Amino acid sequence: MYPVGIPSSVEAFLSTGIAGQLLIAFILLFFILSLCSCLMDEQYQDPAMPVPLPEHSLFTILPFFHQRFDFLNWGFRATGQPIFQFRLFRNTVIAVSGEASRRTFLTSKGLDLNEGFKYLSGSIPVVPGVTSNITSRHVSIVRKRLAVAQREERLQALIPELLLDCQRVMESWGVSGSCDPFKNIYELLFQISVRSLTCSEIADDSAVVARLQKLYDTLDRWNTPAAVLFPWLPSPGAVFKLLATKQIYGVVCGAINARQQSGISRNDMLQILLDHEDEHLVVVGFIMGLLVAGARATGATASWMITFLGCHSDWKVKAAAEIQSLISTHSSSSSTPSSTSHLQNLSERLSTIPVCAWESSTPILDAIIRETLRLAEPHTAMRRNLGPEVQFGDKVVPTGAFVLYQFSDVHLDERIYPNPWEFDPGRSTDSKVPFSWIGWGAGKTVCLGQRLAKLELKLIAAMFLLGMDFDIVDRSGKHMATPPRPNWNDTLLCQPQNGSFKLRFQQTPSPRLDGVI
Ligand code: HEM
């Protein structure tokens, strides 16, 4: 007689070795998932809805997370349509492209950014029972405080501190050498983001900053499909993310408590939040959430901006001249250098330039930032349709569905940007195509931190351009006149896969400021 029934099956399962148990568990899981997604695939066939992908929905999950740029482009090619749908388990996801869809995507009232990111990105750190309780009222207070953080007087006070951070971090690299821009410049941006968005207790302690960066990196590394799609499942990704988030929360709460207990008032972001008597949830949400938004995007952009400049000496020269002219106009040439350190003298001179000059008298830097964002901002905008149905051409996006728009659709469109992979800040910016440049977002959603981000990028550019000789070299140390191609499949940094280039630098003893200082 064959053993039948659940108890016998369990017994048989337990008597198999661990390898056998894992194999059986995997086959069972695969079977259940296939069954579920087959049942869900059946609901697809409504002609008013966007056409589904030819692939089975189970095979879309990994490419969506790991090869998003290739996957979405493949989807448009495979369906032959400018709009298509696929499944991420229970979620219907619709990818759109083209001018008309871009306009609808960016302007439709019901398409919600926060809901889109919450479910499909998984990049926002959530402490269960704490930051999971953040409501739209808290979010709107966080936005108001971010506006306060970017008032002119606040930014002016921040400039010397950010420049000092730049000087300190750049000096720690040594007088000359070569480094990975996606490591070193990213670290530098993390430091100045911590300075801008948290408090001096954290920003002054380089060990704590390094620990925080490591914890945020852990969140990124473990942002696996299972952790994003089934956050309630104790997958390794979800567990590591939870542990890292709790530690970040611990660091932030530690700093808040220390400030409150000390009774000492300081001139930083935490103080602004405490002086507004914001609830704990707002203070924590501001710091934890905006560090993600701020440090990642600004770090990636700065790494690419310096990489592009390192290959384009013509733009390097133009930008350096622009900053030299700012110094000559706004900084007294009679002041004697206070230090033998060139980077310190430079940071002191740059500190005297007013915010308004950085904002309105730097067209070359503006063009360089704009072109960097066009070419190397691997953003896929995500929304959830909170209702009612939205019409994209002759197709309907139902309430509850997720919608994606990848920025490459417009930023790498050769009809708008001839030779789109070429870095050319001199490109014409007067395209008649609506929303033809969306580097800071557009329509209903624009970046609320762009004033701070632009200032940070300009300060870093100035420290590099006047403080260092730098260029980009290949593995054999040869100067690269053509920049590496951004890898849009890397959704965080756009970093090319093989790390085949380096930033070569040498601090200038002082010649860049000859005649100025
Ligand atoms: C170079 C750096 C940055 C870039 C390229 C950038 C880009 C963007 C883009 C494209 C969006 C719109 C996203 C979408 O439509 O899906 C956005 C939104 C946002 N950004 Fe930035 N960002 C940068 C830095 C920052 C910084 C430093 C902060 C805060 C300190 C920040 C805070 C935000 C916030 C809060 C939103 C959401 C706006 C809303 O909810 O309406 N960003 N950013």
Side-chain angles (χ1 to χ4, degrees):
M1 223 171 77
Y2 295 105
V4 286
I6 292 177
S8 318
S9 307
V10 169
E11 214 171 285
F13 177 73
L14 291 176
S15 64
T16 328
I18 182 79
Q21 288 172 358
L22 278 175
L23 184 67
I24 294 169
F26 180 77
I27 292 171
L28 265 177
L29 184 69
F30 186 80
F31 176 75
I32 294 167
L33 292 179
S34 304
L35 193 69
C36 293
S37 66
C38 279
L39 291 175
M40 288 184 295
D41 277 358
E42 277 175 19
Q43 303 162 6
Y44 258 1
Q45 315 300 339
D46 179 349
M49 290 274 292
V51 61
L53 282 179
E55 283 278 356
H56 190 281
S57 62
L58 259 191
F59 299 108
T60 58
I61 294 167
L62 287 181
F64 172 76
F65 281 93
H66 298 304
Q67 298 269 289
R68 190 167 297 162
F69 175 68
D70 291 344
F71 167 70
L72 293 175
N73 286 342
W74 167 80
F76 293 118
R77 277 198 312 274
T79 56
Q81 303 286 323
I83 172 166
F84 68 89
Q85 65 165 312
F86 59 101
R87 285 265 181 187
L88 286 177
F89 286 105
R90 284 170 34 219
N91 303 317
T92 298
V93 185
I94 294 169
V96 303
S97 65
E99 189 180 319
S101 291
R102 177 166 67 252
R103 187 200 301 259
T104 309
F105 181 92
L106 293 170
T107 55
S108 289
K109 273 205 180 120
L111 298 187
D112 187 82
L113 169 107
N114 292 323
E115 287 294 301
F117 269 95
K118 199 153 92 190
Y119 288 102
L120 291 189
S121 143
S123 61
I124 298 164
V126 178
V127 188
V130 185
T131 55
S132 57
N133 295 338
I134 285 185
T135 61
S136 52
R137 184 180 64 81
H138 295 117
V139 172
S140 97
I141 302 175
V142 166
R143 288 177 173 183
K144 279 192 198 142
R145 300 295 174 260
L146 183 52
V148 174
Q150 295 173 95
R151 284 191 188 144
E152 189 161 338
E153 65 278 10
R154 166 79 192 131
L155 292 181
Q156 195 66 60
L158 203 53
I159 287 177
E161 297 182 28
L162 299 186
L163 287 165
L164 204 62
D165 277 339
C166 288
Q167 174 210 325
R168 199 172 44 77
V169 175
M170 287 165 82
E171 280 176 348
S172 75
W173 300 342
V175 174
S176 65
S178 62
C179 65
D180 178 354
F182 293 94
K183 181 174 174 291
N184 291 49
I185 298 178
Y186 193 82
E187 267 169 22
L188 171 54
L189 260 296
F190 194 83
Q191 168 68 45
I192 67 171
S193 302
V194 168
R195 176 75 60 196
S196 317
L197 298 169
T198 72
C199 55
S200 45
E201 287 87 341
I202 299 180
D204 285 344
D205 188 336
S206 51
V208 179
V209 175
R211 180 161 166 246
L212 263 187
Q213 191 189 339
K214 221 166 156 196
L215 291 168
Y216 275 104
D217 290 348
T218 304
L219 293 185
D220 290 338
R221 202 173 41 257
W222 287 103
N223 213 12
T224 57
V228 175
L229 296 175
F230 311 112
W232 40 264
L233 191 81
S235 64
V239 172
F240 282 117
K241 275 178 70 175
L242 183 64
L243 291 176
T245 307
K246 286 204 156 160
Q247 289 181 57
I248 295 171
Y249 179 66
V251 172
V252 173
C253 288
I256 298 172
N257 292 341
R259 175 70 56 88
Q260 284 174 323
Q261 279 162 15
S262 77
I264 299 171
S265 172
R266 304 213 188 196
N267 187 12
D268 59 18
M269 193 60 227
L270 175 58
Q271 199 64 49
I272 294 177
L273 297 167
L274 295 178
D275 289 349
H276 277 92
E277 300 184 356
D278 286 326
E279 352 176 355
H280 183 70
L281 201 51
V282 169
V283 180
V284 169
F286 182 101
I287 293 178
M288 288 179 69
L290 292 186
L291 255 188
V292 179
R296 284 178 185 148
T298 322
T301 310
S303 306
W304 274 109
M305 176 179 70
I306 299 299
T307 299
F308 288 136
L309 287 174
C311 294
H312 287 270
S313 46
D314 48 345
W315 286 102
K316 217 163 62 170
V317 170
K318 284 185 207 177
E322 182 169 88
I323 298 158
Q324 275 173 334
S325 143
L326 278 190
I327 292 182
S328 335
T329 312
H330 297 281
S331 178
S332 153
S333 59
S334 60
S335 61
T336 41
S338 69
S339 158
T340 50
S341 154
H342 171 52
L343 284 178
Q344 184 177 338
N345 291 330
L346 174 60
S347 78
E348 284 170 6
R349 294 302 294 272
L350 292 171
S351 295
T352 60
I353 299 172
V355 175
C356 59
W358 286 109
E359 292 187 328
S360 60
S361 307
T362 51
I364 305 274
L365 287 179
D366 282 329
I368 288 169
I369 292 171
R370 183 186 164 97
E371 181 69 347
T372 303
L373 289 179
R374 182 191 69 76
L375 193 46
E377 186 189 7
H379 186 60
T380 301
M382 300 174 175
R383 307 283 190 266
R384 187 170 204 181
N385 185 12
L386 300 185
E389 285 181 346
V390 180
Q391 197 73 33
F392 278 83
D394 61 349
K395 300 295 179 193
V396 162
V397 167
T399 300
F402 293 90
V403 197
L404 307 179
Y405 181 75
Q406 182 157 265
F407 279 18
S408 58
D409 177 59
V410 59
H411 285 169
L412 298 179
D413 183 340
E414 58 193 1
R415 290 162 302 182
I416 307 174
Y417 301 102
N419 225 342
W421 288 104
E422 194 181 307
F423 176 78
D424 178 10
R427 287 175 189 278
S428 153
T429 54
D430 58 2
S431 166
K432 300 282 175 287
V433 177
F435 301 118
S436 59
W437 188 86
I438 53 174
W440 300 109
K444 216 169 63 97
T445 309
V446 289
C447 176
L448 299 177
Q450 62 175 290
R451 195 171 183 196
L452 173 65
K454 273 190 216 162
L455 181 66
E456 290 178 346
L457 291 169
K458 289 177 183 181
L459 297 179
I460 290 213
M463 287 297 283
F464 266 87
L465 289 162
L466 299 192
M468 287 190 168
D469 278 327
F470 66 94
D471 68 346
I472 296 295
V473 292
D474 65 14
R475 279 207 183 91
S476 61
K478 212 168 131 247
H479 168 73
M480 288 170 69
T482 307
R485 182 180 277 214
N487 169 21
W488 280 64
N489 281 316
D490 173 12
T491 52
L492 289 179
L493 301 179
C494 220
Q495 185 177 4
Q497 265 151 352
N498 53 11
S500 56
F501 63 94
K502 291 233 180 251
L503 175 76
R504 180 169 59 186
F505 63 88
Q506 169 144 41
Q507 279 180 31
T508 48
S510 74
R512 289 285 156 67
L513 289 168
D514 277 357
V516 179
I517 273 187

